[in-house]
Amino acid sequence: MSPSTLHEAPQAAPPAPRAPDSAPATAAADSAPAPRLTLARLRRLFMELVKFGVVGGSGVAVNLVVFNLLLHGLASGPMTATVLASCVAMGTNYLGFRFFAYRDRASRTKRQIALFFAFSGVGVAMESVLFYAAYHGAGMDGPLGSNIAKALSIVLASAFRFLVYRTWVFQHDARHH
């Protein structure tokens, strides 16, 4: 026998197909890894949501502070205040998502930056329309009402942002998965 034949000899033949009346324990053992994958995916999604929430929460704070400074401190118009505040928050959020929440994803490219700001622009438009509807349509135009309208518009537009950021902007690098 040659050395390669000796080396190959210990390999076992592929397992024979099981009969339909196989023991349930065997079937359970074969399916055990699937729940682990599901749990691992759920854990990753949970951590992604937590990181998105941390960055998003800081973005909400920036958004609300700038909004109140412009609207109530500098007497800007409500739509000017909401759009400018959202744009400032967009810039701080990009840094947080890029370097914290999605730092493990594909490296920064011109495409990623363009997608982020394009989708963020859509998010700002959504947020502005929602704010306008609450501020003018629902009469939430006082100091408390304007902040509630702003917060609600941010929350509703954030669902859109989460989906597009994770799906198209900060995609997983295929080489690592």
Side-chain angles (χ1 to χ4, degrees):
M1 283 193 185
S2 71
S4 64
T5 308
L6 286 174
H7 202 357
E8 294 173 7
Q11 293 180 353
R18 279 185 278 150
D21 59 83
S22 294
T26 305
D30 289 345
S31 65
R36 286 188 193 138
L37 289 176
T38 302
L39 287 176
R41 285 182 183 159
L42 286 174
R43 219 172 297 141
R44 280 194 307 268
L45 180 61
F46 175 76
M47 288 309 299
E48 183 179 340
L49 281 167
V50 167
K51 289 179 179 181
F52 184 89
V54 167
V55 173
S58 66
V60 168
V62 167
N63 202 330
L64 289 172
V65 166
V66 172
F67 171 75
N68 279 292
L69 176 67
L70 291 171
L71 182 64
H72 302 295
L74 300 175
S76 295
M79 294 311 295
T80 300
T82 196
V83 170
L84 289 177
S86 296
C87 289
V88 171
M90 179 191 335
T92 61
N93 282 354
Y94 177 76
L95 297 173
F97 288 130
R98 175 68 189 105
F99 296 106
F100 174 65
Y102 295 118
R103 72 174 180 259
D104 61 329
R105 303 248 175 136
S107 62
R108 180 175 55 91
T109 62
K110 289 178 185 176
R111 180 181 181 275
Q112 182 188 67
I113 294 169
L115 283 173
F116 178 85
F117 285 102
F119 284 127
S120 292
V122 172
V124 168
M126 290 173 64
E127 188 179 316
S128 298
V129 167
L130 293 165
F131 174 78
Y132 183 89
Y135 188 87
H136 293 290
M140 300 176 84
D141 54 359
L144 179 61
S146 64
N147 278 283
I148 292 171
K150 181 66 173 167
L152 289 173
S153 67
I154 291 169
V155 168
L156 293 173
S158 291
F160 164 78
R161 290 179 178 119
F162 175 74
L163 292 173
V164 298
Y165 291 166
R166 77 180 308 267
T167 304
W168 288 294
V169 179
F170 298 103
Q171 297 174 341
H172 282 287
D173 189 345
R175 293 172 294 177
H176 294 104
H177 295 280

